[in-house]
Amino acid sequence: MEDTVTETTVLVAIDGPAGSGKSSVSRAAADRLGFGILDTGAAYRSLAWAAGETGADLDDEASMLAVMDRWSYQTTLLGDQRIGVLLNDGAEYKTYDITAAIRTPEVSGQVSRVSKHASVRVRLNEMFRQIVAESGLPGVVIEGRDITTVVAPDAPVRILMTASPEVRATRRAGELPGMSHEQVLADINARDMKDAKVVDFLNPAPGVTLIDTSDMNFEQSIQAVIDTVDAARTTRSSTE
């Protein structure tokens, strides 16, 4: 990626498990830094939604790759997030705004079935790199899975944001009316077990900064990211 991004581009890669706060914190930090934000999880959700629309078998890798051949992803990097897809329904391509649709429990429950396919992740990672390379922005925060180790392993700032399952469940329960803390905690533990098969959210890779937000509020979490970016910028400037 380093040879496709302009020299002035600051790349901030953020990994983390569901409910760690990485999405909301990453977006707020990017806004304050004047950077773009690429939510890679939205692409996985978009693909899960497309599979449901086309009747594809989410557990079959070839079936999911076939969906990707008929699917084109669209996302904003600045301002309010808008997610769209261009999808061939068998007769013609149609454009859909699925910003709200991909956040439903029905779609959320299918994301792990999409992300478990290695070839699907490879193709999406290539797409993420292209989106960043063509952004023309001074900086981009990329958040999601495999970001610090696969998508942007050479990023000058790499962060693993985590929190205890109990804290994550409390945060998520507040976002999911009708679900108890116990139900959300069970869902998070199940999601962690699935995710652990394809990505390590517990141990940061060499060169990755660990930010545990268990005892941080939202503002403190944002500042922790900004401080990490500022520290990397200072180090970078002193070595140039």
Side-chain angles (χ1 to χ4, degrees):
M1 172 174 283
E2 56 186 359
D3 61 352
T4 58
V5 180
T6 64
E7 292 182 2
T8 57
T9 299
V10 177
L11 211 53
V12 182
I14 302 182
D15 275 327
S20 63
K22 68 180 185 300
S23 295
S24 55
V25 170
S26 294
R27 182 165 293 277
D31 182 60
R32 295 185 190 183
L33 288 163
F35 291 179
I37 174 73
L38 177 58
D39 170 9
T40 61
Y44 284 94
R45 289 171 175 272
S46 168
L47 194 53
W49 176 89
E53 286 293 300
T54 58
D57 182 355
L58 283 88
D59 296 313
D60 181 71
E61 192 165 46
S63 180
M64 290 309 301
L65 290 175
V67 172
M68 296 187 78
D69 290 337
R70 304 162 53 185
W71 168 89
S72 179
Y73 182 66
Q74 303 165 343
T75 182
T76 53
L77 296 180
L78 297 172
D80 294 336
Q81 184 186 58
R82 304 300 303 177
I83 303 298
V85 295
L86 187 64
L87 185 65
N88 190 315
D89 62 5
E92 60 179 342
Y93 277 96
K94 295 182 180 179
T95 301
Y96 301 86
D97 182 334
I98 57 172
T99 305
I102 63 171
R103 301 299 173 183
T104 63
E106 292 76 17
V107 171
S108 297
Q110 306 304 323
V111 175
S112 292
R113 295 172 68 188
V114 173
S115 63
K116 70 180 179 181
H117 303 301
S119 58
V120 169
R121 296 199 307 276
V122 167
R123 285 179 63 171
L124 285 178
N125 288 342
E126 291 173 351
M127 183 187 77
F128 298 145
R129 295 189 188 100
Q130 182 177 4
I131 290 173
V132 171
E134 296 175 352
S135 70
L137 297 172
V140 177
V141 175
I142 315 177
E143 63 95 354
R145 67 167 55 243
D146 295 339
I147 305 303
T148 62
T149 55
V150 179
V151 180
D154 299 317
V157 184
R158 294 185 295 153
I159 295 169
L160 175 60
M161 184 177 295
T162 188
S164 69
E166 291 74 16
V167 169
R168 288 155 52 204
T170 298
R171 292 171 179 169
R172 296 283 284 184
E175 301 170 356
L176 300 171
M179 292 188 68
S180 67
H181 179 275
E182 291 72 20
Q183 289 174 311
V184 177
L185 179 59
D187 286 347
I188 281 179
N189 286 330
R191 173 82 176 268
D192 284 353
M193 289 182 65
K194 291 180 181 178
D195 286 343
K197 296 178 182 178
V198 294
V199 64
D200 186 355
F201 280 141
L202 299 177
N203 304 297
V208 176
T209 299
L210 178 66
I211 296 179
D212 188 333
T213 66
S214 297
D215 297 320
M216 295 182 186
N217 60 30
F218 187 57
E219 285 297 323
Q220 291 170 329
S221 300
I222 296 169
Q223 192 59 50
V225 171
I226 293 175
D227 289 345
T228 303
V229 173
D230 287 343
R233 281 171 153 174
T234 299
T235 301
R236 185 177 182 181
S237 296
S238 65
T239 58
E240 290 179 348

